[in-house]
Amino acid sequence: MNNQLADLKEAVKSRLDAIKDPLSGKGLFTSGRISGLEVGEGGKVSFTIEAPADAPERFVPLRDRAEAEARAVRGVTSVIAVLTAHEAKPASTGGVAQVKHIIAVASAKGGVGKSTVAVNLACAFASLGMKTGLLDLDVYGPSAPTLLATGARKPEMSDGKILKPLDAHGLKTMSIGYLVEASSAMIWRGAMATSAVRQMIDEVAWGDLDVLLLDLPPGTGDVQLTLLQRVPLAGAVIVSTPQEMALADVRRGLAMFEKTHAPILGVIENMAYFETPDGARTHIFGEGGARRTAAQAGVPFLGEIPIDVKLREASDAGTPLVVSAPKHPVSKRFMEIAEAALGNVARLSKPAPTIRVV
Ligand code: ADP
């Protein structure tokens, strides 16, 4: 392209950028609304404007205005502005119909590091190149706002009904903690909690994801079962400390997931040991309880996560260790566990239905 045409292109660009994109409030160019701008010989200009799939006609006046502005640039002789709307994008509708694998992360008790594991596992899936979501279903004690430092942000709502998940650390995330103060969530009771959960599954624009991790409330009883009956699970991961993992707990978990027809992808032993700088390991909560229990129950064992100060600090700071320190040995553990879990999804789970009728 000669210099004259390049200058002309710049002039058209800045003219178009002076028009505000109605959705983002940024300039049409800066917002990414315009693509494929071409300026050819003789000052012929063409470009494409991306319209929202649900109501492309709303953008006709904008297209006309952009066309007129471009034509007003000195040296431009003709303008073709094409309005395109991609086929209804799942991102504009709610629900999990476009999610390939939904994986639940469960624990028999609270405080075993289930949320810490869920968040880092989700980040591990994302760094394996998968489009990943994390849904914090612990309506009584949501932890995503802290673990992902999303606390002050609020999800946007489109069409007055569908919530957009918050993007954080490469994940699409939703938590009741984004919608209400954590202290008010604590007093919720049965029906309210269930309807909040339903909203976070059906009325969030999860879009097209490879994996959606569900961070369940602690326990393996009816509350959890009710939540799980709403979604087609690819499988479940059970988190435990060596000490707390009792065969009875795993059996309860197995029984619950059996009712949902979801396979157990495996057990993760968290807080497995503490390693001192000289490499000596102390098994603070006992040794290998979860591994043994998994073997006895006939379910896969996915791996151990040690007690680690950096993991605790990264969690409190809202910067998941797998993202903030990917080379850390504990991050590598999470990566290995994520790969093992995915292998088990492929081996154990039935393919998710592509169309769900609810
Ligand atoms: P749960 O979801 O099971 O209630 P959390 O994930 O909230 O548990 O973890 C409880 C606390 O333990 C948090 O402060 C977390 O940072 C810390 N924690 C979890 N796992 C580890 C670990 N492997 N090493 C150090 N601290 C951990």
Side-chain angles (χ1 to χ4, degrees), residues 119-170:
V119 161
N120 282 282
L121 207 51
C123 292
F125 286 132
S127 42
L128 289 171
M130 317 195 80
K131 280 178 273 175
T132 308
L134 177 78
L135 173 50
D136 173 11
L137 281 179
D138 193 346
V139 288
Y140 303 108
S143 47
T146 307
L147 291 174
L148 299 165
T150 34
R153 289 161 58 196
K154 292 276 169 255
E156 287 171 31
M157 190 170 266
S158 62
D159 304 336
K161 193 167 187 255
I162 302 299
L163 286 168
K164 279 198 198 159
L166 288 185
D167 290 319
H169 309 287

Side-chain angles (χ1 to χ4, degrees), residues 107 109-118 138 141 143 147 215-216 218 239 270-273 305-316 330 334:
S107 66
K109 299 186 179 80
V112 301
K114 170 183 51 59
S115 298
T116 307
V117 169
D138 193 346
S143 47
L147 291 174
D215 181 3
L216 295 183
V239 181
N270 188 33
M271 310 192 192
Y273 54 85
I305 301 292
I307 297 176
D308 190 280
V309 177
K310 283 271 177 308
L311 176 60
R312 210 269 307 142
E313 285 172 353
S315 305
D316 284 352
V330 172
F334 277 116

Side-chain angles (χ1 to χ4, degrees), residues 193-216:
T194 310
S195 93
V197 164
R198 181 176 313 134
Q199 189 189 6
M200 290 194 291
I201 294 170
D202 296 337
E203 295 172 18
V204 169
W206 290 110
D208 137 41
L209 290 179
D210 295 311
V211 186
L212 177 62
L213 277 189
L214 309 182
D215 181 3
L216 295 183

